[in-house]
Amino acid sequence: MITGEKILVTGVHGAVAFPLARALAADNEVWGAARFTDPATRAKVDDAGITAHAVDVAGGDYVGLPDDFTYVLHLAYFRGGTDAFEESFRTNAEGTGLLLQHCRNAKAALVMSSHVIYTPTDDPSHPHREDEPVGGMRAPWAATAPSAKVAEESVARFCARAFDLPVTIARLNTVYGPDPRYMPSMNALAVARGDTVVTRGEPCPHSPIHIDDMTRQLEPLLAAASTPATVVNWCGDDVVTQQEWSELAATVAGTTAEVTVREVPGAPCQNVGDPTKRQSITGPCRSDFATAYRESVTALLASVA
């Protein structure tokens, strides 16, 4: 685990960013950047031993934010509908450039991208590699996401070369753990309530990764940062369908999983990443999905009881 460093985490109150920042704060000086419009969110960050700093990443006004961070985890992200492309590019593309310019003397930066970047294929089980085509996916629930991530990656690549800043671009797949904001958690809560889980295809496979594995993999992913940037799928080692994890959740909740397929034009039913490159950097994931997911669902259901 990383120790003795000064680390900036943007979007720090997010479902992925917060547990990573909290873990790092145990042995490092961690600053968390976000807009912090909710005082309770800021208090939660402060209570975790993280220095909360209000900033609009897209604005480029970083008054009071140090520029001597040794590592940067850029997880801040804006998503929106068809009326939000301007704000999306300003935040996700321009904001990434302005932030990396401010922190250009860091040892390394990790910029979070997404599996949504990949061009869909007709094979739902196809494992996307990092060198495959990107763009073309349409996601009605977040219309700006695919194009914004292409733009963000492009800017991050430029910054790596322009500032001689080692960068890792991590294309995130589906995250799981006890946080209710993760997709597998939302599905588990629906199953426990007796609600129907809606999926985009039969099957609908993912490459889920546990938040604890992500925490363990931070150090090697930052060590792999390079100029030009390193691009890697941040996904788990197992392929699991939404139908399968809903059934697992039902065994924990003592209910029956009701899953219905609702196809979305332009949105693929595939979300599988090839973990080969990531495994060469981090080694295998330690969490076995079936075991870890059952534990996560048990903790989740206890927290909402």
Side-chain angles (χ1 to χ4, degrees):
M1 192 63 180
I2 300 169
T3 60
E5 303 289 354
K6 186 173 182 178
I7 303 171
L8 174 65
V9 182
T10 68
V12 69
H13 52 66
V16 173
F18 180 71
L20 297 181
R22 180 178 55 194
L24 289 168
D27 297 298
N28 301 275
E29 178 185 350
V30 177
W31 286 57
R35 292 183 179 180
F36 290 118
T37 55
D38 180 3
T41 299
R42 180 165 193 146
K44 178 181 177 181
V45 171
D46 283 330
D47 290 346
I50 302 163
T51 301
H53 185 84
V55 65
D56 176 8
V57 170
D61 182 4
Y62 300 142
V63 174
L65 183 69
D67 60 4
D68 61 345
F69 295 105
T70 52
Y71 290 115
V72 176
L73 305 183
H74 181 38
L75 280 70
Y77 174 57
F78 171 82
R79 70 175 67 190
T82 55
D83 61 344
F85 279 95
E86 178 64 27
E87 184 175 358
S88 176
F89 284 120
R90 186 169 180 269
T91 301
N92 300 314
E94 296 175 35
T96 294
L98 292 168
L99 179 79
L100 295 183
Q101 180 184 46
H102 183 79
C103 300
R104 59 188 177 273
N105 294 320
K107 294 179 183 178
L110 184 147
V111 176
M112 187 72 83
S113 185
S114 169
H115 195 90
V116 76
I117 199 170
Y118 287 112
T119 303
T121 71
D122 294 331
D123 178 7
S125 62
H126 173 74
H128 286 286
R129 299 188 316 273
E130 291 84 354
D131 60 353
E132 291 186 12
V134 299
M137 201 277 261
R138 288 182 291 165
W141 56 90
T144 63
S147 56
K149 285 303 181 183
V150 172
E152 182 177 29
E153 286 197 15
S154 299
V155 172
R157 288 170 182 258
F158 166 78
C159 290
R161 297 179 64 184
F163 306 138
D164 196 26
L165 170 63
V167 170
T168 291
I169 297 172
R171 293 174 176 168
L172 186 63
N173 203 275
T174 303
V175 183
Y176 74 101
D179 193 299
R181 292 172 289 180
Y182 302 144
M183 176 194 281
S185 295
M186 290 187 283
N187 290 166
L189 290 172
V191 168
R193 292 191 302 265
D195 295 340
T196 299
V197 173
V198 178
T199 183
R200 299 195 303 272
E202 176 61 62
C204 189
H206 297 249
S207 299
I209 183 167
H210 197 285
I211 189 64
D212 288 351
D213 277 317
M214 294 183 68
T215 301
R216 288 187 284 262
Q217 292 171 10
L218 271 177
E219 185 172 17
L221 286 175
L222 283 166
S226 61
T227 304
T230 295
V231 180
V232 61
N233 288 332
W234 208 353
C235 62
D237 299 338
D238 302 314
V239 175
V240 186
T241 68
Q242 207 169 347
Q243 289 86 347
E244 287 171 334
W245 73 51
S246 296
E247 291 289 347
L248 277 173
T251 64
V252 177
T255 59
T256 300
E258 298 291 340
V259 182
T260 187
V261 175
R262 187 179 301 160
E263 295 184 1
V264 180
C269 61
Q270 60 178 158
N271 190 39
V272 179
D274 186 335
T276 304
K277 186 173 181 179
R278 194 226 76 229
Q279 290 169 337
S280 72
I281 295 170
T282 68
C285 290
R286 298 184 193 175
S287 301
D288 167 72
F289 181 83
T291 301
Y293 184 59
R294 286 191 183 97
E295 292 173 350
S296 296
V297 173
T298 299
L300 180 66
L301 295 181
S303 70
V304 299

